[in-house]
Amino acid sequence: MDKDDSARPQRRTALVAKGLSRYNIDIAALSETRLADEGSLTEPTCGYTFFWKGKTQSEDRIHGVGLAIKTSLMKQLPTLPVGINESLMKLRLPLSHNRHATIISAYAPTLTSTEEAIEQFYANLSSVLDSIPANDKLILLGDFNARVGCDHNQWEGVRGKHGTGKMNANGLLLLSKCTEYNLIITNMIFRMADKYENSWMRFL
């Protein structure tokens, strides 16, 4: 997404919208938006509306979260996405027969962040998860800066049999949180090429 002083404030959102449209994505979580405060804008050409939540103009902004939603779906939403802080945003969707789904867009601190920052993120995430009605379907999206490794047996029911690399500290926190709230890491269920299982890889 574009910086505040960009001469073309919708240019990057237009590129993102074009990519989402190519794959016919209804709702996508956004990380590292780095936009100030809270706001929204619509890309009319590709048909997506963007929502974001970040720190204030006067603060350093290296994080930020958001959601991109097909504009055609907006009229079906009784409420707009709610920004919790620069790392968490949620959206409640109506389903059939008085059922709802809650989508959470999350951006977790990196491994280089302070222990306090990481603990605060997961404390905030727990607060949001606890606030969701028990009958809601829960979809947790985003970038957790985590590697959950390949140990399927120890985490059976939380992750599938497929995975890459070794678990890191953030991976352990994510798996523990999924266990606590009965969540499943879905991209571990199906066998995929490494480029689809990982959003980032480190080469030494």
Side-chain angles (χ1 to χ4, degrees):
M1 302 178 85
D2 283 298
K3 297 180 180 178
D4 298 333
D5 58 356
S6 171
R8 297 179 296 179
Q10 297 184 357
R11 178 56 179 169
R12 291 185 183 178
T13 49
L15 292 174
V16 172
K18 185 176 180 180
L20 295 174
S21 178
R22 182 183 305 119
Y23 292 101
N24 196 29
I25 302 296
D26 289 332
I27 300 175
L30 307 174
S31 299
E32 292 188 77
T33 57
R34 301 183 181 180
L35 294 174
D37 302 316
E38 187 169 8
S40 66
L41 64 82
T42 298
E43 287 290 353
T45 303
C46 295
Y48 282 87
T49 299
F50 292 81
F51 298 86
W52 68 85
K53 174 71 173 180
K55 291 187 175 182
T56 65
Q57 290 278 1
S58 60
E59 294 178 286
D60 290 334
R61 300 189 304 277
I62 60 174
H63 301 127
V65 291
L67 286 166
I69 305 172
K70 271 187 178 178
T71 304
S72 60
L73 298 177
M74 293 300 301
K75 60 184 179 183
Q76 301 177 34
L77 302 181
T79 59
L80 296 178
V82 176
I84 310 301
N85 54 40
E86 74 277 7
S87 297
L88 293 165
M89 176 176 281
K90 68 178 180 178
L91 169 66
R92 195 164 190 243
L93 305 169
L95 302 177
S96 59
H97 307 298
N98 296 320
R99 298 294 301 275
H100 291 80
T102 295
I103 295 175
I104 298 175
S105 175
Y107 181 64
T110 64
L111 286 171
T112 59
S113 299
T114 64
E115 183 176 344
E116 291 77 11
I118 295 173
E119 289 179 353
Q120 187 62 58
F121 167 80
Y122 278 97
N124 291 338
L125 177 59
S126 292
S127 296
V128 175
L129 293 173
D130 289 337
S131 72
I132 296 171
N135 291 330
D136 277 21
K137 298 290 186 181
L138 176 59
I139 304 169
L140 181 56
L141 304 173
D143 184 353
F144 287 85
N145 286 298
R147 292 200 312 269
V148 297
C150 302
D151 190 348
H152 163 67
N153 294 327
Q154 183 177 353
W155 300 97
E156 188 173 359
V158 177
R159 48 151 300 154
K161 297 181 179 180
H162 307 290
T164 59
K166 296 181 179 180
M167 183 193 307
N168 61 16
N170 281 356
L172 178 59
L173 288 170
L174 177 59
L175 286 166
S176 299
K177 190 61 62 178
C178 289
T179 300
E180 181 181 354
Y181 288 92
N182 195 29
L183 300 173
I184 300 173
I185 302 176
T186 55
N187 69 330
M188 301 285 100
I189 295 176
F190 305 101
R191 182 182 295 277
M192 298 182 290
D194 286 351
K195 65 180 179 179
Y196 298 121
E197 285 190 350
N198 302 284
S199 60
W200 182 85
M201 295 182 70
R202 179 180 180 181
F203 296 94
L204 298 178

Coordinates of all heavy atoms in Angstrom, one line a residue, residues 9-48:
P9 N -1.9 7.8 -4.4 CA -2.2 7.1 -3.2 C -2.9 5.8 -3.3 O -3.0 5.0 -2.4 CB -3.2 8.2 -2.5 CG -3.7 9.0 -3.6 CD -2.5 9.1 -4.6
Q10 N -3.4 5.5 -4.5 CA -4.1 4.3 -4.8 C -3.3 3.3 -5.6 O -3.8 2.2 -5.9 CB -5.5 4.5 -5.4 CG -6.4 5.3 -4.5 CD -7.8 5.5 -5.1 OE1 -8.1 5.0 -6.2 NE2 -8.7 6.1 -4.4
R11 N -2.1 3.6 -6.0 CA -1.4 2.8 -6.9 C -1.1 1.4 -6.4 O -1.4 0.4 -7.1 CB 0.0 3.5 -7.3 CG 0.9 2.7 -8.2 CD 0.2 2.4 -9.5 NE 1.0 1.6 -10.4 CZ 0.6 1.0 -11.5 NH1 -0.7 1.1 -11.8 NH2 1.5 0.4 -12.3
R12 N -0.6 1.3 -5.2 CA -0.3 0.0 -4.7 C -1.5 -0.8 -4.4 O -1.6 -2.0 -4.6 CB 0.6 0.1 -3.4 CG 2.0 0.6 -3.8 CD 2.9 0.6 -2.6 NE 4.2 1.1 -2.9 CZ 5.2 1.3 -2.1 NH1 5.0 0.9 -0.8 NH2 6.4 1.8 -2.4
T13 N -2.5 -0.2 -3.9 CA -3.8 -0.9 -3.6 C -4.4 -1.4 -5.0 O -5.0 -2.4 -5.0 CB -4.8 0.0 -2.9 OG1 -4.9 1.3 -3.5 CG2 -4.4 0.2 -1.4
A14 N -4.2 -0.6 -6.0 CA -4.7 -1.0 -7.3 C -4.0 -2.3 -7.8 O -4.6 -3.2 -8.4 CB -4.5 0.1 -8.4
L15 N -2.6 -2.4 -7.5 CA -1.9 -3.6 -7.9 C -2.3 -4.8 -7.1 O -2.5 -5.9 -7.6 CB -0.4 -3.3 -7.7 CG 0.3 -2.3 -8.6 CD1 1.7 -2.0 -8.2 CD2 0.2 -2.8 -10.1
V16 N -2.5 -4.6 -5.8 CA -3.0 -5.7 -4.9 C -4.4 -6.1 -5.4 O -4.7 -7.3 -5.5 CB -3.1 -5.2 -3.5 CG1 -3.7 -6.3 -2.6 CG2 -1.7 -5.0 -3.0
A17 N -5.3 -5.1 -5.7 CA -6.6 -5.5 -6.1 C -6.6 -6.3 -7.4 O -7.4 -7.2 -7.6 CB -7.5 -4.2 -6.3
K18 N -5.7 -5.9 -8.3 CA -5.6 -6.6 -9.6 C -5.2 -8.1 -9.4 O -5.8 -9.0 -10.0 CB -4.6 -5.9 -10.5 CG -4.5 -6.5 -11.9 CD -3.5 -5.7 -12.7 CE -3.4 -6.3 -14.2 NZ -2.5 -5.5 -15.0
G19 N -4.3 -8.3 -8.5 CA -3.9 -9.7 -8.1 C -5.0 -10.5 -7.5 O -5.2 -11.6 -7.8
L20 N -5.7 -9.8 -6.6 CA -6.8 -10.5 -5.9 C -7.9 -10.9 -6.9 O -8.5 -11.9 -6.9 CB -7.4 -9.6 -4.8 CG -6.5 -9.4 -3.6 CD1 -7.1 -8.3 -2.7 CD2 -6.1 -10.6 -2.9
S21 N -8.2 -10.0 -7.8 CA -9.2 -10.2 -8.9 C -8.8 -11.4 -9.8 O -9.7 -12.2 -10.2 CB -9.4 -8.9 -9.7 OG -10.3 -9.1 -10.7
R22 N -7.5 -11.5 -10.1 CA -7.0 -12.5 -10.9 C -7.4 -13.9 -10.4 O -7.7 -14.9 -11.1 CB -5.5 -12.4 -11.2 CG -5.0 -13.5 -12.1 CD -3.5 -13.3 -12.3 NE -3.1 -12.0 -12.7 CZ -2.3 -11.2 -12.0 NH1 -1.8 -11.5 -10.8 NH2 -2.0 -10.0 -12.5
Y23 N -7.3 -14.0 -9.0 CA -7.5 -15.3 -8.4 C -8.9 -15.4 -7.8 O -9.3 -16.3 -7.0 CB -6.5 -15.5 -7.3 CG -5.1 -15.8 -7.9 CD1 -4.2 -14.8 -7.9 CD2 -4.8 -17.0 -8.4 CE1 -2.9 -15.0 -8.4 CE2 -3.5 -17.2 -8.9 CZ -2.6 -16.2 -8.9 OH -1.3 -16.4 -9.5
N24 N -9.7 -14.4 -8.0 CA -11.1 -14.3 -7.6 C -11.2 -14.5 -6.1 O -12.0 -15.3 -5.5 CB -12.0 -15.4 -8.3 CG -13.5 -15.2 -8.1 OD1 -13.9 -14.1 -8.0 ND2 -14.2 -16.3 -8.1
I25 N -10.4 -13.7 -5.3 CA -10.4 -13.8 -3.9 C -11.5 -12.9 -3.3 O -11.6 -11.7 -3.7 CB -9.0 -13.3 -3.3 CG1 -7.9 -14.2 -3.9 CG2 -9.0 -13.3 -1.8 CD1 -8.0 -15.6 -3.5
D26 N -12.3 -13.4 -2.4 CA -13.4 -12.6 -1.8 C -12.9 -11.7 -0.7 O -13.2 -10.5 -0.7 CB -14.5 -13.5 -1.3 CG -15.3 -14.2 -2.4 OD1 -15.4 -13.6 -3.5 OD2 -15.8 -15.3 -2.1
I27 N -12.1 -12.3 0.2 CA -11.6 -11.5 1.3 C -10.1 -11.9 1.6 O -9.8 -13.1 1.6 CB -12.4 -11.8 2.6 CG1 -13.8 -11.3 2.4 CG2 -11.8 -11.0 3.8 CD1 -14.7 -11.7 3.6
A28 N -9.2 -11.0 1.7 CA -7.8 -11.2 2.0 C -7.3 -10.4 3.1 O -7.7 -9.3 3.3 CB -7.0 -10.9 0.7
A29 N -6.5 -11.1 4.0 CA -5.8 -10.4 5.1 C -4.6 -9.7 4.6 O -3.9 -10.2 3.7 CB -5.5 -11.4 6.2
L30 N -4.3 -8.5 5.1 CA -3.2 -7.7 4.7 C -2.2 -7.4 5.9 O -2.7 -7.2 7.0 CB -3.6 -6.3 4.1 CG -4.7 -6.4 3.0 CD1 -5.1 -5.0 2.6 CD2 -4.1 -7.1 1.8
S31 N -0.9 -7.5 5.6 CA 0.1 -7.3 6.7 C 1.1 -6.3 6.2 O 1.3 -6.1 5.0 CB 0.8 -8.6 7.0 OG -0.1 -9.6 7.5
E32 N 1.7 -5.6 7.2 CA 2.7 -4.6 6.9 C 2.1 -3.5 6.0 O 2.8 -3.0 5.1 CB 4.0 -5.2 6.4 CG 4.7 -6.1 7.3 CD 6.1 -6.5 6.8 OE1 7.0 -5.7 6.8 OE2 6.2 -7.6 6.4
T33 N 0.9 -3.0 6.3 CA 0.3 -2.0 5.5 C 1.1 -0.6 5.7 O 1.1 0.2 4.8 CB -1.1 -1.8 5.8 OG1 -1.3 -1.5 7.2 CG2 -1.9 -3.0 5.5
R34 N 1.5 -0.4 7.0 CA 2.3 0.8 7.3 C 1.6 2.1 7.1 O 2.2 3.2 7.0 CB 3.6 0.8 6.6 CG 4.5 -0.4 6.9 CD 5.8 -0.4 6.2 NE 6.6 -1.6 6.5 CZ 7.8 -1.9 6.0 NH1 8.4 -1.0 5.2 NH2 8.4 -3.0 6.3
L35 N 0.3 2.0 7.1 CA -0.6 3.2 7.0 C -0.9 3.8 8.3 O -1.1 3.0 9.3 CB -1.8 2.9 6.1 CG -1.6 2.6 4.7 CD1 -2.9 2.1 4.0 CD2 -0.9 3.7 3.9
A36 N -1.1 5.1 8.4 CA -1.4 5.7 9.7 C -2.9 5.6 10.0 O -3.7 5.6 9.2 CB -1.0 7.2 9.6
D37 N -3.1 5.5 11.3 CA -4.5 5.6 11.9 C -5.4 4.5 11.3 O -4.9 3.4 11.1 CB -5.1 7.0 11.6 CG -4.2 8.1 12.2 OD1 -3.8 8.0 13.3 OD2 -4.0 9.1 11.5
E38 N -6.6 4.8 11.1 CA -7.6 3.8 10.6 C -8.4 4.4 9.4 O -8.8 5.5 9.5 CB -8.5 3.3 11.7 CG -9.4 2.2 11.4 CD -10.1 1.6 12.6 OE1 -10.0 2.3 13.6 OE2 -10.8 0.6 12.5
G39 N -8.5 3.6 8.4 CA -9.3 4.1 7.2 C -9.6 3.1 6.2 O -9.5 1.9 6.4
S40 N -10.2 3.6 5.1 CA -10.6 2.7 4.0 C -10.5 3.4 2.7 O -10.6 4.7 2.7 CB -12.0 2.1 4.3 OG -13.0 3.2 4.2
L41 N -10.5 2.7 1.6 CA -10.6 3.2 0.3 C -11.0 2.1 -0.7 O -10.9 0.9 -0.4 CB -9.3 3.9 -0.2 CG -8.0 3.0 -0.4 CD1 -8.0 2.3 -1.7 CD2 -6.8 3.8 -0.2
T42 N -11.6 2.5 -1.8 CA -12.1 1.6 -2.8 C -11.4 1.7 -4.1 O -11.1 2.9 -4.5 CB -13.6 1.8 -3.0 OG1 -14.4 1.6 -1.8 CG2 -14.2 0.9 -4.1
E43 N -11.0 0.6 -4.6 CA -10.4 0.6 -6.0 C -11.5 0.2 -6.9 O -11.8 -1.0 -7.1 CB -9.3 -0.5 -6.0 CG -8.0 -0.1 -5.3 CD -7.3 1.1 -6.0 OE1 -7.7 1.4 -7.1 OE2 -6.3 1.6 -5.4
P44 N -12.1 1.1 -7.6 CA -13.3 0.8 -8.5 C -13.0 0.0 -9.7 O -13.8 -0.8 -10.1 CB -13.8 2.2 -8.9 CG -12.6 3.1 -8.7 CD -11.8 2.6 -7.6
T45 N -11.8 0.1 -10.2 CA -11.4 -0.7 -11.4 C -11.5 -2.2 -11.2 O -12.1 -2.9 -12.0 CB -10.1 -0.2 -12.0 OG1 -10.0 1.2 -12.2 CG2 -9.7 -1.0 -13.3
C46 N -10.9 -2.6 -10.1 CA -10.8 -4.1 -9.9 C -11.8 -4.5 -8.8 O -12.0 -5.7 -8.6 CB -9.4 -4.4 -9.4 SG -8.1 -4.2 -10.6
G47 N -12.5 -3.6 -8.2 CA -13.7 -3.9 -7.4 C -13.4 -4.4 -6.0 O -14.0 -5.4 -5.5
Y48 N -12.4 -3.8 -5.3 CA -12.1 -4.2 -4.0 C -12.1 -2.9 -3.1 O -11.7 -1.8 -3.5 CB -10.7 -4.8 -3.9 CG -10.7 -6.3 -4.3 CD1 -10.6 -6.6 -5.7 CD2 -11.0 -7.3 -3.4 CE1 -10.7 -7.9 -6.1 CE2 -11.0 -8.6 -3.8 CZ -10.9 -8.9 -5.2 OH -11.0 -10.2 -5.6

